[in-house]
């Protein structure tokens, strides 16, 4: 059962995304371009949009970055989030430039007067705020009192939230990130049992594409499986498009996202055809051509076990010597010559989808 949270609306018009409540779990990423480099940032966001990104964040380090937002938002089709540390003037400039959401921690932007100015501007433009607590940037008092712990992350989030609530601002999303998996999971559980605000879930600094995807899948997967999380970001030290691919796969495994499913066997001594290039080609083609189709395709290494083991698949092939068997729901349909497997399988899949 998904934990019920408040709905938060990000963006206006056709770009709008709603998170929390019963809305689909949104996929996020962050640009690694310099925000002031509008052409590179827009190009990266376009690639991310195409890959399935729902919300994109950019770092705003100075006024050049904040002013660039005005140009960026004109070119893109998903809501834009400005990530700001410390400087309330950058938050205000970003809002005036047309950003759709802020990531800023109210406890870190100085006097309550400064926080008020940001909150007033957010209310005027209907801009939600994500409070992004991170183990690496806990304030001294909290760290002294609770150590570097899940409780410290949670207490820190409570502190930031109460600053906004005292100003009657409730358009809030919360994240509590640590790279330590257990601590991060525990912090989100504490937050989920206490707050009704939507949670942005992710394991920070998760690592390279390979290691980070595994770590994020475990962390985000455990939380989602317990009904915790309204939007996710997989943090990888790689091209951000890889983050979107990983996020979609995590959600799809938990039946929270519709995309093609590929079943493939690990291959063994019974495999007598060159299966891996076929698998890679079909998987890439399917994900690019029918990214939101539910079709289930199997690529299996042998005719002995392949069709039976992949009975759940809508369609599949099982390789043999110089040929493959085409099967549908485990029933063998016909043989395909090895050199025609890719072309004929694609054709069969298209016929089935249409
Ligand atoms: Fe081996 Fe056939 Fe099973 Fe693939 S389907 S792992 S080739 S027995």
């Amino acid at each position: 059962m998904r934990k019920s949270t408040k709905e938060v609306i990000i963006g206006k018009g056709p770009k709008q995304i709603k998170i929390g409540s019963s809305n689909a779990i949104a996929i996020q990423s962050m640009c690694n371009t310099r925000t002031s480099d509008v052409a590179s940032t827009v190009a990266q966001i376009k690639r991310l949009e195409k890959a399935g990104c729902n919300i994109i964040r950019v770092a705003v380090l100075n006024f050049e970055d904040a002013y660039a937002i005005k140009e960026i938002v004109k070119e893109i089709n998903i809501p834009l989030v400005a990530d700001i540390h410390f400087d309330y003037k950058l938050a205000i400039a970003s809002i005036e430039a047309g950003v759709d959401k802020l990531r800023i921690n109210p406890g870190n932007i100085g006097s309550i007067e400064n926080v008020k100015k940001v909150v007033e501007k957010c209310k005027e433009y209907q801009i939600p705020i994500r409070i992004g607590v991170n183990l690496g940037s806990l304030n001294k008092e909290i760290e002294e009192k609770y150590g570097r712990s899940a409780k410290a992350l949670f207490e820190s989030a409570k502190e930031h939230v109460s600053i906004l609530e005292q100003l009657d601002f409730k358009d809030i999303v919360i994240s509590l990130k640590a790279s330590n998996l257990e601590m991060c999971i525990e912090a989100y559980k504490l937050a989920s049992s206490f707050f009704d605000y939507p949670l942005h879930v992710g394991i920070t600094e998760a690592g390279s594409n390979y290691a980070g995807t595994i770590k994020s899948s475990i962390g985000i997967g455990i939380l989602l499986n317990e009904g915790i999380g309204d939007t996710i970001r997989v943090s990888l030290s790689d091209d951000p498009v890889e983050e979107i691919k990983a996020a979609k796969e995590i959600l799809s495994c938990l039946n929270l996202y519709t995309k093609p499913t590929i079943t493939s066997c690990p291959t063994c001594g019974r495999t007598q055809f060159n299966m891996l290039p076929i698998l890679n080609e079909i998987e890439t083609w399917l994900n690019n051509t029918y990214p939101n189709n539910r079709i289930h395709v199997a690529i299996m290494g042998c005719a002995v076990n392949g069709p039976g083991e992949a009975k759940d698949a809508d369609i599949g092939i099982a390789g043999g010597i110089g040929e493959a068997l085409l099967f549908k729901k485990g029933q063998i349909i016909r043989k395909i010559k090895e050199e025609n497997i890719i072309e004929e399988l694609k054709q069969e899949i298209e016929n089935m989808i249409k």
Side-chain angles (χ1 to χ4, degrees):
M1 274 289 280
R2 179 145 165 222
K3 158 85 198 270
S4 154
T5 52
K6 186 180 176 290
E7 182 173 84
V8 166
I9 299 173
I10 307 164
K12 294 164 189 77
K15 274 189 199 179
Q16 190 175 83
I17 290 268
K18 293 176 180 171
I19 61 171
S21 184
S22 59
N23 293 297
I25 293 168
I27 298 173
Q28 308 208 15
S29 185
M30 185 168 184
C31 286
N32 57 12
T33 52
R34 277 196 310 144
T35 305
S36 55
D37 178 350
V38 173
S40 303
T41 304
V42 166
Q44 189 168 68
I45 296 174
K46 295 269 188 199
R47 287 175 52 235
L48 287 160
E49 280 178 8
K50 193 161 176 256
C53 181
N54 303 124
I55 301 167
I56 185 66
R57 179 162 44 118
V58 291
V60 175
L61 309 181
N62 49 45
F63 284 100
E64 244 192 312
D65 289 340
Y67 299 146
I69 288 172
K70 195 171 181 187
E71 301 309 313
I72 296 168
V73 292
K74 283 184 200 157
E75 305 289 327
I76 65 171
N77 304 300
I78 53 176
L80 187 74
V81 184
D83 192 297
I84 293 155
H85 287 280
F86 313 119
D87 191 343
Y88 81 96
K89 288 183 187 152
L90 289 178
I92 289 174
S94 300
I95 296 171
E96 287 175 345
V99 87
D100 300 298
K101 181 179 163 208
L102 292 182
R103 183 261 166 138
I104 194 165
N105 291 348
N108 299 350
I109 50 177
S111 71
I112 192 68
E113 289 313 310
N114 293 349
V115 180
K116 265 188 197 163
K117 286 177 192 154
V118 174
V119 165
E120 288 314 314
K121 203 43 107 179
C122 283
K123 283 182 184 171
E124 185 188 341
Y125 283 74
Q126 295 164 319
I127 303 294
I129 294 179
R130 169 161 67 96
I131 292 170
V133 179
N134 198 307
L135 193 70
S137 53
L138 290 173
N139 74 36
K140 249 194 190 158
E141 297 79 62
I142 293 229
E143 197 165 330
E144 273 167 20
K145 197 164 171 192
Y146 300 101
R148 289 167 64 79
S149 64
K151 178 93 172 133
L153 286 165
F154 172 55
E155 291 297 331
S156 175
K158 268 166 68 179
E159 220 176 77
H160 291 296
V161 167
S162 88
I163 296 172
L164 293 183
E165 285 178 340
Q166 277 165 28
L167 297 171
D168 196 29
F169 187 85
K170 303 212 168 115
D171 218 1
I172 300 171
V173 180
I174 304 167
S175 64
L176 313 93
K177 296 191 185 177
S179 63
N180 177 301
L181 212 52
E182 278 176 75
M183 194 192 292
C184 196
I185 290 168
E186 184 56 30
Y188 275 107
K189 285 185 181 173
L190 287 169
S192 176
S193 61
F194 186 81
F195 298 113
D196 286 330
Y197 297 116
L199 294 181
H200 161 126
V201 168
I203 310 297
T204 196
E205 294 122 25
S208 62
N209 194 343
Y210 177 74
T213 298
I214 294 173
K215 191 171 180 180
S216 298
S217 304
I218 295 170
I220 296 173
I222 287 173
L223 289 166
L224 290 176
N225 198 46
E226 295 192 16
I228 299 171
D230 300 283
T231 173
I232 65 169
R233 189 222 171 165
V234 176
S235 300
L236 299 177
S237 312
D238 210 305
D239 181 339
V241 167
E242 297 300 314
E243 301 187 346
I244 305 303
K245 289 201 245 172
K248 284 161 71 174
E249 212 54 55
I250 294 169
L251 292 175
S252 168
C253 289
L254 293 165
N255 281 328
L256 294 167
Y257 192 89
T258 303
K259 69 180 281 298
T261 301
I262 307 267
T263 294
S264 65
C265 77
T267 73
C268 71
R270 291 189 188 88
T271 314
Q272 289 178 310
F273 79 131
N274 193 9
M275 182 177 121
L276 296 189
I278 297 172
L279 170 63
N280 291 336
E281 166 71 29
I282 295 292
E283 184 169 38
T284 308
W285 171 76
L286 263 178
N287 285 333
N288 290 334
T289 321
Y290 300 104
N292 298 115
N293 194 284
R294 234 175 241 290
I295 191 143
H296 182 172
V297 177
I299 310 288
M300 304 298 279
C302 77
V304 182
N305 294 334
E309 282 181 15
K311 249 187 198 155
D312 289 339
D314 298 308
I315 186 165
I317 53 129
I321 302 172
E323 62 183 24
L325 295 179
L326 177 80
F327 59 89
K328 293 182 182 171
K329 295 276 180 203
Q331 296 297 314
I332 293 164
I333 307 293
R334 63 183 171 88
K335 286 181 181 172
I336 306 177
K337 281 192 183 159
E338 185 165 1
E339 61 269 28
N340 298 333
I341 293 174
I342 290 176
E343 194 186 319
E344 291 192 29
L345 181 57
K346 282 184 183 174
Q347 192 56 58
E348 290 281 351
I349 291 170
E350 285 196 319
N351 293 345
M352 193 168 247
I353 287 173
K354 279 166 192 161

